[in-house]
Amino acid sequence: MPELLEVEIYRRFAHQTVGRTITSVHAPDDWFLKNTTAGELEGLLPKLKVLGTSRIGKLLLLELGTKKSIDLHLGLRFGMTGRLIVDDGAAIDQLEYSSDRNDPAWDRFGLTFDDGLMLLRDPRRLGGIELDPDTSKLGPDAWGISAADLGAALGKGRGPLKARLLDQKRIAGLGNLLVDEILWRSGFSPHRVSGELNANDNKKLAKMINVVLDELDKKGGSHQGDLQDSRSREGECPRDGAPLAREKVGGRTTYWCPNHQK
DNA sequence: ATTGTGGCCTGCCCGC
DNA sequence: TGCGGGCAGGCCACAA
């Protein structure tokens, strides 16, 4: 997916629709609707106005007010390949590892407004739409996280550090590329036992999470990291030239430098 | 409760 | 040119 940074770009883009009134719902794919149906959405949404947007981790929320005592927050998840299109422009034209074709068959969900439209285009259908998603299941957003909150998120777990950082219940928003970049820059091995970080480690790691997010946000996204170009077999560490290790950690393909990440 | 595994679904790229 | 295998930035259900 789009990781936190891409979803934040989507959110800013979606924010253009604040104040517009929904006129119709396009929900052709039942699979994509996680806790609702096309019929329910068609009954609830038209005539409602977009009141605001927010984001927790990789979850984008449209605030639509309250109707029939349902608090209408529409949750949009993008999976690994979802893109958001508002009016005539895609929020992000080129997603790494996703096709940049514009095939209308990939339109999984859409809203038409009195003025313009919003489309979620997802080739792989790993994203989804959820009505009033339970945000209490998500940890604190990674962007702006404090050392104390990071320490609490890491807890006393015995699993690898990388797996915990990817666990959205613990800390929300980091994906595979961001975690590899953060660990590489801060010099922690992805295999470090997450519960064994001390207060200094937490401080260092929390700071690096924020530095990387700030910096890559300015550069344009999660794939603009310094490690990115070396994420391939035969890749070498951009810092010290050592061969990068490539292995599965936390179920995800991981590139890291055994020479300086300890 | 925590941790690891497999699967979801589809497109693309590589090598034969 | 066609085909099979492997790959993919996410997430969830399930089992140990």
Side-chain angles (χ1 to χ4, degrees), chain A residues 36-95:
Chain A
T36 180
T37 63
E40 184 181 30
L41 294 177
E42 285 159 4
L44 286 171
L45 304 191
K47 297 185 181 166
L48 291 179
K49 204 172 260 196
V50 181
L51 304 178
T53 62
S54 58
R55 178 192 61 76
I56 306 176
K58 307 173 194 172
L59 175 67
L60 174 60
L61 294 163
L62 294 184
E63 298 154 17
L64 300 174
T66 303
K67 186 165 176 181
K68 295 178 185 170
S69 72
I70 301 176
D71 184 25
L72 286 163
H73 280 80
L74 195 65
L76 286 69
R77 294 181 183 280
F78 297 90
M80 292 206 282
T81 53
R83 288 188 298 158
L84 187 71
I85 293 156
V86 176
D87 301 334
D88 279 334
I92 295 176
D93 269 334
Q94 216 164 348
L95 272 186

Side-chain angles (χ1 to χ4, degrees), chain A residues 9-20:
Chain A
I9 293 169
Y10 292 166
R11 190 200 63 74
R12 292 171 193 156
F13 217 66
H15 205 74
Q16 296 176 74
T17 68
V18 169
R20 296 186 192 177

